[in-house]
């Protein structure tokens, strides 16, 4: 551990205890002196820990008395219930609604709480620019030629190195690059699903997954999902005989932000493997943890190559680069064939640039900053919702990722709220988008990847104001 | 017409007459003086015409006598017959063979006659590098953000402007960008084909198309195809009641290099439209014409939006950029939905760079040079085949594009030839790859996009030598 960053490690640990409720609002923290003894650090380091926590609004100092857990984090809104979707496969795709929400993508002047990507302000744009320019200059043939089919070797190596953080232990031969994360999921479904097959997923579920599965003619079985611990294992067990495939976002899933406990991951991997049901794992949010540790992945528990691990840099570095990958386990040759057919090659320049950025070691530092920014957003969002949204509004309690799930009183329909908000150039993602059944009509997903400005705050207040009028 | 380039126009016209056999080997050309009068040009321009044709080895000067059509182009090998595939849908995909050929893609030290892309030496790499660097500097957020779903507006405008050359008259709203040409075809098949549907294609056919169609569960009907005029209309007429879709490469198709006459294009567009059968047109080779004029496209004759026009810059500018597009006619909303799902966004940087390159006006000049280089290759390939390949070898007579189709005597199996050649680090594309049936076992496709060096020549001679030993 670099001594320079030890203060962030200590601060993260305390922050995590505050968020988990181990430390409660008003609790007194140890003194600076005690902190020095406890962690064997200098006075300066101990002071930086407190400054760090204060900058995140997690603690506040009282003159002559020391530091206390801040009131702000005591704002905890009620948690939505575990979802209870119908256990019959449905395919009532909210096609028109999704088109309506996405047709504005990329337009200027709209505040997008609806699109699940980090805003440009949170990204290391200047450094990435330099990497693109260097890659263009240094790549053989200036990147005009096809890459190796499996993808940029340097990038695959860097991804393999990073996999150690989540207990992955991958090597470069295990990985195939793709044009972003959706492209990775699309290849997995294409490789493993036949029309008429049944796929088990979380509920609510990211709309792109619903549409992909529906588009390939799969029956979609939405399973009860807990807002903090993810898909319910008992529910999954019951439907094992019916399903051919399973797709999960175990870490900080969109839209709930839930994170499956390690033991659940392990149990599910084993269950699916025993029944020869491939597990597609989407880990695009895994690096955006608010706690002290990077959560493990289902792939960490994969013994026989039955897990297809998918991820990308779209949520943490550059959505517009479309750099993603699959560790397809025993399905590698199928995935390689699909890549050759549908993409031929990844785009050399962006893949080389990302590889070099990862290699430079800057990614970790960037992630630290970004995690802190998103976490601050989370606190600010919840505070604003508590202050300006209708009474009884519930929110999920994401432990990472970019999504906050909001549940209103039953009478508030978020499709209606969408129509009102978009007139004021605010875009939200209505809950109905996240299911193929009639559920979540009183819910919405908010993206926490926006910069927390007066404008953002005002827009969020407006959403609350509009909701009150419905 | 820019006066500076008028000499190339005149030269192209004469070159085309030589290639079509209107002017034959040994024929005398008009004198410089006559050329001036005939074309109303200066002595200097007329001289440049002759120099140009001489540099292409099309003509030779005889002291005191003037210019004559060169002997070299008199080398015309016999043309393969019209293909006669079985008219029952087959799906015997030469999977293992295709994998074998493509697994070496991108490896150094191999001479790739097998991969249908231009070599880096033929591409304007320095200019493209500059455009990438400029795009990275100038794009908002450095290209890290998603583009507009339909794709880069400037690029769509430039493609629309260029469509006038082939009678397309598109505008920017007609176009959707994709990650290269295969991605465009993949979206079209996904949008329009249901498993069990039947698709009509040319025979021989580009392997990627066969695999895509097969992968989507379509029945593939390969139709008789003439080596110079393309798919046989009468054959297509007969199967109309059986088919749901049609996919053609009307201009300089891979592997034959055939080019459908305009009247055939027109008739097929009308025939398919009347029967409500969508036509997917792949025009990736259209800009690489050897004659005087850019051939028209099927899309030029499309009255009701039934033609999905697909193209890319992979054969003319930068295969590694993966920049392609679709003009999907009346199927636009389906294509947009698939793009959102499977790609989310194109990659901003490369699309912006290509848009600016097209806007700079350099593309036309580059194409002129590239066409000339490929055409020279064609002549050199045919000459080498005449000199070094087994007697009785036939070749197609491409009027453009990158593919030369070679037909050996029945006893020479090109899968065997592949195995022998790859041991000498030479890769060819065996004919069996281009069908789902047992045909073309004595054929192969050669890519003409390599630089014509001693090394290339030697490798081609070696292929002939190996074929003689089988």
């Amino acid at each position: 551990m670099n001594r320079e960053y030890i203060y962030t490690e200590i601060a993260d640990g305390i922050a995590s205890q505050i968020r988990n409720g181990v430390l409660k609002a008003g609790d007194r923290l140890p003194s600076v002196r005690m902190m020095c003894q406890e962690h064997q650090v200098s006075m300066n380091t101990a002071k930086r820990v407190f400054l760090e926590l204060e900058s995140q609004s997690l603690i506040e100092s009282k003159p002559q008395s020391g530091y206390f857990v801040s009131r702000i984090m005591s704002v905890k809104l009620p948690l939505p219930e575990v979802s209870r979707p119908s256990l019959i496969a449905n395919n009532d795709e909210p096609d028109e609604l999704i088109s309506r929400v996405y047709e504005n993508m990329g337009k200027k002047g709209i505040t997008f709480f609806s699109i699940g990507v980090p805003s440009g302000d949170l990204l290391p744009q200047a450094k990435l620019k330099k990497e693109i320019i260097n890659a263009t200059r240094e790549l053989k043939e200036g990147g005009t030629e096809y890459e190796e089919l499996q993808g940029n070797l340097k990038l695959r190596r860097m991804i393999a190195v990073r996999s150690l953080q989540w207990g992955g232990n991958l090597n470069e031969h295990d990985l195939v690059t793709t044009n972003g994360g959706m492209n990775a999921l699309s290849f997995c479904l294409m490789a493993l699903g036949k029309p008429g097959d049944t796929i088990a997923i979380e509920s609510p579920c990211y709309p792109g997954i619903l549409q992909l599965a529906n588009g390939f003619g799969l029956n979609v079985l939405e399973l009860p999902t807990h807002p903090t611990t993810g898909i319910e294992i008992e529910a999954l067990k019951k439907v094992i005989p019916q399903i051919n495939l399973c797709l999960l976002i175990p870490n900080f899933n969109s839209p709930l932000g839930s994170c499956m406990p390690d033991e659940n991951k392990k149990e599910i991997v084993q269950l699916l493997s025993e029944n020869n049901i491939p597990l597609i794992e989407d880990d695009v949010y895994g690096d955006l943890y608010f706690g002290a540790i990077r959560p493990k992945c289902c792939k960490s528990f994969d013994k026989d190559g039955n897990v297809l691990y998918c991820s990308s840099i779209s949520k943490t570095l550059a959505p517009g680069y479309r750099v993603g990958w699959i560790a397809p386990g025993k399905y590698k040759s199928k995935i390689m064939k699909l890549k050759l057919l549908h993409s031929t090659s990844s785009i050399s320049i962006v893949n080389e640039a990302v590889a070099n950025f990862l290699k430079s070691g800057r990614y970790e530092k960037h992630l630290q900053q970004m995690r802190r920014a998103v976490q601050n957003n989370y606190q600010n969002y919840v505070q604003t919702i508590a202050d300006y949204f209708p009474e009884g509004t519930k929110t999920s309690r994401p432990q990472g990722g970019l999504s906050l799930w909001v549940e209103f009183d039953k009478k508030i329909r978020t499709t209606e709220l969408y129509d009102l908000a978009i007139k004021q150039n605010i875009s939200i993602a209505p809950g109905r988008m996240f299911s193929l059944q009639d559920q979540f009509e009183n819910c919405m997903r908010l993206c926490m990847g926006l910069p927390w400005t007066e404008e953002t705050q005002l827009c969020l207040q407006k959403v609350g104001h509009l909701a009150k009028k419905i």
Side-chain angles (χ1 to χ4, degrees), chain A:
Chain A
M1 180 70 196
N2 189 332
R3 296 296 297 174
E4 198 190 331
Y5 300 126
I6 200 156
Y7 79 93
T8 60
E9 202 185 47
I10 301 170
D12 284 351
I14 297 173
S16 160
Q17 290 190 313
I18 296 175
R19 277 187 205 98
N20 296 340
V22 178
L23 288 168
K24 291 191 192 350
D27 278 2
R28 172 189 246 126
L29 269 77
S31 68
V32 173
R33 192 172 305 271
M34 279 168 67
M35 180 80 78
C36 294
Q37 285 177 359
E38 209 173 301
H39 294 279
Q40 297 287 312
V41 294
S42 68
M43 288 286 277
N44 266 340
T45 301
K47 280 181 189 160
R48 283 182 82 177
V49 169
F50 289 116
L51 281 175
E52 177 60 35
L53 291 167
E54 216 175 357
S55 78
Q56 293 181 42
S57 314
L58 287 171
I59 62 171
E60 47 202 26
S61 70
K62 291 189 187 164
Q64 319 295 334
S65 324
Y67 286 96
F68 295 82
V69 176
S70 151
R71 191 201 64 89
I72 193 167
M73 267 316 289
S74 68
V75 178
K76 264 195 185 159
L77 295 170
L79 204 59
E81 298 287 301
V82 173
S83 65
R84 294 285 168 221
S86 142
L87 289 183
I88 300 158
N90 283 268
N91 66 351
D92 184 10
E93 187 179 311
D95 206 15
E96 187 274 329
L97 176 62
I98 294 175
S99 306
R100 221 175 346 142
V101 173
Y102 279 99
E103 73 186 0
N104 292 313
M105 192 174 78
K107 288 201 186 145
K108 303 301 159 200
I110 298 180
T111 300
F112 285 103
F113 290 114
S114 53
I115 311 286
V117 289
S119 119
D121 310 70
L122 300 184
L123 305 175
Q125 293 182 14
K127 300 222 163 62
L128 287 171
K129 273 188 195 183
K130 274 193 196 150
E131 295 295 2
I132 292 275
I133 291 170
N134 288 342
T136 306
R137 290 203 176 118
E138 284 160 28
L139 266 177
K140 199 178 157 294
E141 317 282 7
T144 56
E145 294 203 327
Y146 290 147
E147 282 187 354
E148 194 181 335
L149 179 57
Q150 200 167 342
N152 185 300
L153 180 62
K154 209 190 302 172
L155 177 61
R156 286 185 284 127
R157 281 197 183 133
M158 293 316 301
I159 298 165
V161 168
R162 289 191 59 79
S163 79
L164 293 177
Q165 295 195 3
W166 49 263
N169 201 15
L170 300 177
N171 70 46
E172 67 253 34
H173 306 295
D174 297 326
L175 290 152
V176 182
T177 66
T178 60
N179 293 325
M182 278 308 287
N183 184 225
L185 296 182
S186 147
F187 284 165
C188 291
L189 289 184
M190 222 187 284
L192 301 172
K194 291 185 309 296
D197 280 358
T198 298
I199 184 168
I201 56 163
E202 292 140 344
S203 179
C205 177
Y206 174 61
I209 292 171
L210 297 173
Q211 288 191 302
L212 260 188
N214 216 16
F216 287 129
L218 304 177
N219 298 314
V220 176
L221 202 57
E222 299 170 55
L223 294 183
T225 303
H226 189 279
T228 60
T229 58
I231 201 161
E232 293 215 322
I233 295 195
E234 291 311 311
L236 182 60
K237 277 184 187 161
K238 275 187 203 143
V239 299
I240 285 288
Q242 287 169 253
I243 64 172
N244 311 86
L245 265 177
C246 182
L247 192 162
L248 301 175
I249 310 183
N251 295 328
F252 322 128
N253 106 328
S254 164
L256 284 175
S258 61
C259 183
M260 284 168 59
D262 283 357
E263 57 272 23
N264 289 18
K265 287 173 185 156
K266 192 172 173 182
E267 194 177 342
I268 282 182
V269 169
Q270 202 178 336
L271 177 70
L272 293 173
S273 163
E274 280 164 10
N275 290 279
N276 209 16
I277 298 166
L279 171 59
I280 303 165
E281 172 176 41
D282 183 358
D283 188 44
V284 283
Y285 300 103
D287 281 342
L288 292 176
Y289 51 95
F290 298 161
I293 319 169
R294 170 51 157 115
K296 283 204 159 60
C297 295
C298 288
K299 187 75 183 172
S300 324
F301 304 102
D302 183 24
K303 289 185 181 148
D304 57 357
N306 193 48
V307 179
L308 299 98
Y309 172 86
C310 302
S311 194
S312 81
I313 56 145
S314 300
K315 307 302 181 188
T316 54
L317 267 188
Y321 286 9
R322 315 307 300 125
V323 172
W325 55 88
I326 312 176
K330 63 184 173 189
Y331 309 102
K332 183 175 157 193
S333 66
K334 284 189 178 199
I335 295 294
M336 293 273 281
K337 184 177 165 185
L338 287 171
K339 179 173 175 185
L340 176 61
L341 266 184
H342 297 266
S343 315
T344 318
S345 162
S346 300
I347 289 127
S348 330
I349 294 171
V350 283
N351 282 271
E352 176 79 6
V354 170
N356 288 336
F357 182 84
L358 295 183
K359 215 175 166 187
S360 76
R362 288 185 183 122
Y363 188 48
E364 209 47 60
K365 191 97 185 69
H366 156 66
L367 282 177
Q368 282 181 10
Q369 290 167 355
M370 185 171 167
R371 286 195 287 255
R372 221 163 292 150
V374 176
Q375 205 169 348
N376 279 339
N377 279 357
Y378 166 42
Q379 292 163 27
N380 291 322
Y381 277 40
V382 172
Q383 186 64 52
T384 307
I385 291 168
D387 293 342
Y388 293 90
F389 277 45
E391 214 156 315
T393 301
K394 300 174 179 175
T395 70
S396 62
R397 290 179 198 157
Q399 300 143 65
L402 292 176
S403 298
L404 184 67
W405 184 246
V406 178
E407 184 181 309
F408 293 107
D409 183 272
K410 283 279 177 206
K411 74 170 197 297
I412 299 179
R413 299 179 70 87
T414 47
T415 44
E416 202 179 321
L417 183 59
Y418 176 84
D419 292 336
L420 294 172
I422 199 69
K423 281 186 196 144
Q424 309 217 19
N425 288 323
I426 302 169
S427 178
I428 58 156
R432 182 61 182 82
M433 284 171 65
F434 300 86
S435 176
L436 298 179
Q437 313 176 12
D438 285 329
Q439 51 174 346
F440 311 126
E441 277 102 340
N442 58 324
C443 301
M444 67 174 176
R445 185 193 67 177
L446 296 175
C447 170
M448 305 186 292
L450 282 68
W452 187 251
T453 60
E454 266 183 48
E455 173 72 16
T456 310
Q457 187 166 13
L458 203 67
C459 286
L460 197 53
Q461 289 172 6
K462 273 189 198 164
V463 174
H465 193 68
L466 292 171
K468 280 183 179 168
K469 288 204 289 190
I470 292 178

